[in-house]
Amino acid sequence: MFVLFSMAIALGLLVILMHRKVRLGRSIIAAAVVFGILLRVSPHAFWQSLVQEWHTKPLTQTTVYLWISLTALVMLVNVLGIAMKQTGVSDRLAPALQRLFRSRRFALAAIPMIMGLLPTPGGIMLSAPMVRDFGDSLGVERSRLAAINFLFRHQWETVWPLFPSVPLIQGMFGISALALISHNIAIMLAGTIGGTLFLLAHALPPSQPKTKTEGHLSTHLRNFGQALWPIAIVAGLYMGLNVPPAIGTALAIVAFLLCHKVPVTQWKALFKAGFELDFVFLILGSLLFKVNLDAAEAVPSVVDFFATIHAPTPVVIFLLPFVVAFLTGVTVPTVAMTFPFLLPWIGTGQEAKIALETLAFSGLICGLLLTPVHLCLALSGTYFESSLTKIIPRLLIPTAFVAGAGVFMAIVFGR
């Protein structure tokens, strides 16, 4: 099948460029351009596809809107992370969590989970020092600490609106935020349960004494609240009022800066520090794959191909995102490259079988958790001074829980 062959070539180019240390956004742009050339998408056909979107789709599902809103979201999340770091809020979070939660195992998982609510690029390094220092004080083996930090930080990826894949999928399928999150939460819960049972349950040496954290409880409660409330505002506006995450994040940043009395004269520097041109290319390149597929009218032919070879629909829905995520190690491009192929099976709007989207996202997450090209996993191995051959095996069973949740949702709710 020529379309799949073309995508394989584009993916191969992407992997090669990433291995040659070409920045991710630029690599995806190059791969998307090659993909369009292979599909023989002319500039006129490309433009006509964009024009047709404006006439046939709601604004929130058009490529231009998605590019602007998702790029703004990634930039603004980065700004919020920088603001929290500069005001000392993020530095005070780990001691607060250690004091608030009596279970040392719970605190060990809570650090990356809370920090994971703010998905800044390479943000796994925000929680890594806290997890390593706390874990070392408890005598936890380093490869286990790396797996804990990596797994629990990524549990929000399927449900949290600050991850651009969530609003992207919502716009792509034309479904409500509540419907998407209420289904995908099964993946998050399964991964958390799997990580708790197989990473945390036996994490601590049996005779390890409890550690004490200084400071009054009220102080730690305040520090915890200061880190959480800006993020809670964004989530509340998105799920309760369907306010786009980019707008909610902008409002949260303004409120945060005013609350912490950051001089207005410093705001420009904060926003400038959060701007990264490669973020623009990352989102743009991801969406270019989607537009090329639409312009070439490639999706129906791929669906027909899978029907011809009698490939079971659930297998295709799970494996296609899994393979692309495993090869690339990034979420948004995987969604943009594979989910358009799944639209005919999953459907859109009120006809959408959202449980099948959950199956697809579970395949994506499984690929991300196990691939050695995932930047966060590579950073974890380096920082925790542990090889990936020790970290990845610890992730196998929690990943199986994620896959099981996707299969369960598809069987029970996907009919």
Side-chain angles (χ1 to χ4, degrees), residues 94 96-113 131 134 138 148 200:
L97 291 173
Q98 295 177 38
R99 176 66 174 86
L100 293 175
F101 301 120
R102 298 183 65 181
S103 169
R104 293 167 295 167
R105 293 181 180 87
F106 192 89
L108 198 58
I111 293 172
M113 286 199 76
V131 171
F134 187 39
L138 299 174
I148 289 171
L200 292 178

Side-chain angles (χ1 to χ4, degrees), residues 19 21 124 141-147 150-151 326 329 367-396:
H19 276 290
K21 308 301 181 183
I124 195 167
E141 201 270 327
R142 282 287 180 86
S143 66
R144 185 183 291 270
L145 286 177
F150 175 74
L151 178 73
F326 188 85
L368 286 178
L369 291 178
L370 298 178
T371 177
V373 303
H374 191 162
L375 175 62
C376 291
L377 191 56
L379 289 172
S380 293
T382 300
Y383 188 81
F384 286 91
E385 299 174 339
S386 181
S387 68
L388 297 185
T389 56
K390 292 183 178 180
I391 299 173
I392 292 178
R394 294 187 180 277
L395 299 169
L396 290 175

Side-chain angles (χ1 to χ4, degrees), residues 263-284:
V264 177
T265 54
Q266 297 181 15
W267 289 21
K268 181 179 179 180
L270 276 174
F271 280 90
K272 185 177 180 180
F275 178 82
E276 173 55 63
L277 185 61
D278 203 56
F279 297 166
V280 180
F281 293 150
L282 171 63
I283 303 299
L284 178 61

